[in-house]
Amino acid sequence: KQKLEAYVLQRGKDRFGKKLEIYDLLNGNLHADHVTPVSKGGETSLANLEITTSEYNLKKGATIAEPHFPHQQKLLDTITGVPYNKNS
């Protein structure tokens, strides 16, 4: 369920603007990546998930990605109490 919700929030695109096909999501060919890996304190929550290609997810590994989508940035705002600014 969270994978589909994340897909919809991302408007069917990855962080690079590439179209992700719904049938790839439903067939398990796309990954639900933790933006902040569980091993580094990240939660398995919608705000910490991002639908990616398997290639990107495996390349990223256990590194922390910058928030990219609005649903991820809202989580940071809530946690820190400060609006997220990528340039600060």
Side-chain angles (χ1 to χ4, degrees), residues 60-71:
K60 177 183 164 280
T63 60
I64 298 173
E66 283 285 323
H68 180 76
F69 296 101
H71 69 280

Side-chain angles (χ1 to χ4, degrees), residues 4-21:
L4 185 57
E5 288 180 76
Y7 178 87
V8 170
L9 288 170
Q10 291 176 219
R11 299 178 187 223
K13 294 183 180 180
D14 70 8
R15 67 173 39 236
F16 307 106
K18 179 183 172 195
K19 175 86 170 114
L20 301 171
E21 299 296 339

Side-chain angles (χ1 to χ4, degrees), residues 17-57:
K18 179 183 172 195
K19 175 86 170 114
L20 301 171
E21 299 296 339
I22 189 73
Y23 58 81
D24 285 330
L25 177 71
L26 299 175
N27 290 328
N29 296 328
L30 296 175
H31 287 196
D33 179 43
H34 290 89
V35 177
T36 299
V38 173
S39 65
K40 299 206 173 158
E43 298 180 356
T44 300
S45 67
L46 184 59
N48 192 41
L49 291 181
E50 181 174 322
I51 303 304
T52 69
T53 61
S54 58
E55 294 84 10
Y56 173 77
N57 190 24

